[in-house]
Amino acid sequence: MNDITILAPIYEGKAKVVFATPDPELLVLHFKDDATAFNRQKVGTIAGKGPINLRVAVRLMRELEAAGIATHVVRVLDERRLLVRKVAIIPLEIVVRNRTAGTFSKRYAVEEGIALAAPLVELFWKDDAHGDPLVNDAAAVLLGFATAAEVTAIQVLALRVNTVLRAFFAARGIELVDFKIEAGRAADGALLLADEISADSCRLWEIGTGRKLDKDRFRRDLGDIEATYAEVLARVEAVPA
Ligand code: ADP
Ligand code: UDP
């Protein structure tokens, strides 16, 4: 049933608008075509991105649920709107890396594309005004972002997501280089995977060629942005042989 009443927007972010519903435990996420990078220093539009990212995120979260990982997804309302369980977002951007890239390469002066011996979890304080700084476990606890038990649970969750999604993408000819997730506490206290996982929040490299199939095409002006997002959706929704 798609007859949920959508109330006023409660937040507009860089890629989505969040709407309240009459049920205090449910929200609607509206996926926009807007794209930003480098903490809004680069802004633009990727035509069709919203509906594509919604479908990619839902497919990936269904895969994670099948593996026993609890997510906020309730159901798709229409091509841009997703009904989710409301959570209190833990203000951490939880990044997992399988290869060096992006800010890791910059921070530690290592070239991009070096395989890591084991997946690395990094936590960043989710705060645009301060440039999303890296935080360690103790700081995340001392600053009140999460309890020590939650920080541990988040790291376990992140590595489980990595294991499931790496295999999922590999079966579709894509290497999962790195990604960001968000987690939050539902009304019943459960830790849920929230927000989205899509080509906006992952680095995805075509296996064999290394072709970038993600937001780096926008960040680095590599061209073919719309076509690449559509290709990611097609591969994600494909049933591998
Ligand atoms: P940003 O805030 O980084 O610009 P978006 O434009 O994607 O990002 O906005 C979506 C916002 O909704 C994010 O701040 C995200 O943390 C939040 N969010 C995602 N899922 C949920 C949820 N289930 N409950 C509450 N907030 C959520
Ligand atoms: N990421 C994200 N949102 C952010 C920062 C990072 O989705 O605000 C994702 C990014 O797409 C990449 C991973 O997290 O897949 C690691 O990003 P990194 O720290 O290298 O920063 P970036 O190069 O994206 O600025």
Side-chain angles (χ1 to χ4, degrees):
M1 293 220 313
N2 289 347
D3 59 353
I4 186 117
T5 303
I6 297 174
L7 302 177
I10 54 173
Y11 173 82
E12 176 154 8
K14 299 183 290 288
K16 296 188 285 295
V17 188
V18 182
F19 291 87
T21 73
D23 183 334
E25 294 188 14
L26 296 176
L27 293 175
V28 172
L29 300 183
H30 175 106
F31 286 66
K32 304 189 285 183
D33 289 348
D34 298 353
T36 68
F38 313 118
N39 202 8
R40 295 186 205 242
Q41 286 177 54
K42 183 178 173 84
V43 296
T45 304
I46 301 175
K49 175 171 82 77
I52 287 175
N53 280 5
L54 183 152
R55 281 166 66 181
V56 168
V58 169
R59 179 66 187 90
L60 297 180
M61 292 216 183
R62 294 291 183 222
E63 188 73 13
L64 293 167
E65 279 168 6
I69 295 168
T71 82
H72 68 159
V73 170
V74 178
R75 66 187 148 86
V76 175
L77 299 177
D78 61 36
E79 65 166 15
R80 286 190 186 270
R81 292 185 297 186
L82 180 65
L83 186 66
V84 298
R85 288 177 67 189
K86 181 178 184 171
V87 297
I89 291 281
I90 293 172
L92 293 171
E93 301 211 332
I94 306 151
V95 168
V96 182
R97 301 182 188 276
N98 297 303
R99 275 188 196 273
T100 59
T103 60
F104 182 92
S105 288
K106 216 170 189 176
R107 186 182 327 116
Y108 301 121
V110 286
E111 68 181 89
E112 292 204 321
I114 299 168
L116 298 173
L120 175 71
V121 181
E122 289 182 334
L123 303 177
F124 298 83
W125 176 29
K126 183 175 153 58
D127 189 292
D128 286 344
H130 296 92
D132 297 339
L134 185 70
V135 288
N136 69 17
D137 300 14
V141 174
L142 289 170
L143 292 165
F145 302 152
T147 65
E150 282 173 336
V151 169
T152 302
I154 282 169
Q155 288 163 335
V156 170
L157 171 73
L159 292 173
R160 287 177 68 203
V161 169
N162 186 50
T163 301
V164 174
L165 294 189
R166 259 179 118 171
F168 179 88
F169 279 115
R172 291 157 178 82
I174 295 174
E175 181 177 344
L176 179 59
V177 170
D178 61 30
F179 62 93
K180 182 267 304 183
I181 55 173
E182 294 181 26
R185 307 170 198 98
D188 63 2
L191 185 73
L192 300 183
L193 184 63
D195 204 53
E196 69 177 279
I197 311 177
S198 68
D200 272 4
S201 61
C202 301
R203 284 199 169 85
L204 305 169
W205 293 0
E206 184 177 44
I207 293 173
T209 68
R211 185 164 57 101
K212 296 185 194 326
L213 303 176
D214 56 61
K215 201 163 105 178
D216 273 346
R217 301 208 76 84
F218 171 77
R219 290 189 191 95
R220 301 177 187 190
D221 296 318
L222 300 178
D224 291 331
I225 303 175
E226 281 85 3
T228 304
Y229 272 71
E231 180 180 341
V232 168
L233 174 64
R235 290 194 188 218
V236 161
E237 291 190 340
V239 180

